[in-house]
Amino acid sequence: MRKLIFWVHTSIDGHIDGPAGEFDWPMMGEELSAYSEALCERSDTFLYGRGVWEGMVAFWPNAEKMSDHPHVLKFAPLWRSTPKIVASTTIEHDDWATEVIGTDLAERITDLKRQPGADLLLTGGSGLAGELTRLGLIDEYHIAVHPVVLGGGRPLFPRGADRLGLRFAGSRVCDEGVVVTRYDRA
């Protein structure tokens, strides 16, 4: 059975973006980029919530024209060629999305996990990750904690989320002092 992996960047005060929604603070050094790329290589489908999706389609289709960062140059072609699923009740269609899940989220994700293939990679966000956590569908949590205090913004998990026990599966310190910790569903 395929796994659903959640890959997210957070500040040390637990926010996935800043008070004004800014996402200009993650430091993608060589080691962290390699970690991210290894997760992508384990996966054959990318999964996004609406908010992260809007940021992705604003950048990745033409990323090489906006940045010459080594991670951007390596990931952009992979992003364009990999099937992408968006979970949203407000988006009905998008040229870059292979599929949009508007209803029956639990049923559709469960079905995807049962299909043959490599893992599914959910990148960023908190709303979709919180809902999939509540439904017990996320198998691995890979959390990159960046050495920055944002002082506000969206929390890593929505307020009022159910308590969840996870099993520590390892951690490492990457360049720029980013600590990546992996937890598995207990």
Side-chain angles (χ1 to χ4, degrees):
M1 190 156 149
R2 300 162 85 181
K3 290 184 178 182
L4 176 55
I5 302 164
F6 178 41
W7 168 232
V8 66
H9 300 269
T10 186
S11 63
I12 63 171
D13 59 342
H15 296 99
I16 60 168
D17 58 15
E22 62 272 23
F23 192 68
D24 57 354
W25 46 270
M27 299 175 230
M28 292 300 291
E30 191 174 307
E31 294 171 339
L32 187 58
S33 294
Y35 190 96
S36 177
E37 291 156 7
L39 289 176
C40 292
E41 290 168 5
R42 283 182 55 188
S43 309
D44 66 4
T45 306
F46 298 156
L47 179 63
Y48 301 100
R50 183 201 46 80
V52 174
W53 178 251
E54 289 173 348
M56 298 301 273
V57 297
F59 182 75
W60 290 107
N62 300 300
E64 297 95 325
K65 294 177 183 173
M66 296 182 252
S67 173
D68 62 356
H69 188 283
H71 176 68
V72 169
L73 299 177
K74 186 167 185 178
F75 180 67
L78 177 64
W79 185 86
R80 288 190 294 267
S81 66
T82 301
K84 294 166 279 299
I85 298 174
V86 181
S88 173
T89 57
T90 57
I91 296 173
E92 292 182 17
H93 170 76
D94 186 287
D95 290 340
W96 284 101
T98 307
E99 177 183 350
V100 177
I101 302 172
T103 59
D104 301 321
L105 179 66
E107 181 180 320
R108 183 64 184 123
I109 297 299
T110 299
D111 181 55
L112 285 166
K113 289 177 69 172
R114 287 185 183 133
Q115 293 177 7
D119 294 329
L120 307 163
L121 182 62
L122 168 62
T123 301
S126 63
L128 180 57
E131 180 62 11
L132 293 172
T133 294
R134 187 186 69 74
L135 294 167
L137 293 172
I138 296 179
D139 300 291
E140 297 178 13
Y141 297 79
H142 295 254
I143 302 171
V145 180
H146 293 258
V148 61
V149 174
L150 296 175
R154 283 181 295 164
L156 176 58
F157 287 99
R159 305 270 185 242
D162 295 337
R163 185 178 189 158
L164 174 68
L166 299 173
R167 185 176 66 248
F168 175 76
S171 67
R172 65 179 280 195
V173 178
C174 294
D175 34 20
E176 309 296 338
V178 178
V179 178
V180 180
T181 305
R182 175 182 160 192
Y183 299 96
D184 292 339
R185 188 173 55 194

